[in-house]
Amino acid sequence: MEWIYLIAAGLLEMLGVTMMNQFHKDKRLRWIFLLIIGFAASFFLLSLAMEKLPMGTAYAVWTGIGTVGGALIGILFYGEPKDGKRIFFIALILGSAVGLKLIS
């Protein structure tokens, strides 16, 4: 169950980061509200996951999901560069997070 909490926490971190970008583009209060909800729920689920998982593993996977997800959302929805080097390094981050899961 802790891995489900951790993956959900990473996805909610992606929501928070996306809402931060939305607020930067469009200064509406709803983006701040969703940003706060996303990050608060993410931290809560991360804390639940860390009850069973080692702190280093949980934090690395959580930030990896957020980093990869944020980069992919930027590429897919906000016109950020999608060159081969960028995709390669995003894949390295993802592979590292999966590797930590496999050895934990």
Side-chain angles (χ1 to χ4, degrees):
M1 194 67 178
E2 59 273 1
W3 283 101
I4 292 171
Y5 291 148
L6 187 58
I7 291 168
L11 295 173
L12 286 164
E13 183 190 8
M14 289 169 42
L15 173 71
V17 169
T18 303
M19 294 305 104
M20 195 181 304
N21 193 44
Q22 274 303 120
F23 181 73
H24 179 70
K25 294 177 178 288
D26 176 21
K27 306 284 191 223
R28 293 188 186 167
L29 194 57
R30 71 175 158 196
W31 305 128
I32 291 289
F33 179 71
L34 290 170
L35 179 151
I36 291 168
I37 296 225
F39 280 128
S42 177
F43 283 124
F44 174 72
L45 290 173
L46 176 62
S47 73
L48 292 179
M50 287 176 62
E51 289 177 3
K52 299 272 169 111
L53 295 173
M55 179 202 59
T57 300
Y59 184 71
V61 171
W62 178 70
T63 57
I65 292 169
T67 302
V68 168
L72 291 177
I73 287 172
I75 289 170
L76 295 172
F77 299 108
Y78 294 103
E80 293 181 6
K82 54 185 166 203
D83 58 68
K85 291 176 188 174
R86 185 177 172 106
I87 300 298
F88 171 75
F89 287 112
I90 290 170
L92 280 179
I93 294 167
L94 184 60
S96 298
V98 170
L100 284 170
K101 160 63 171 115
L102 294 175
I103 65 168
S104 292

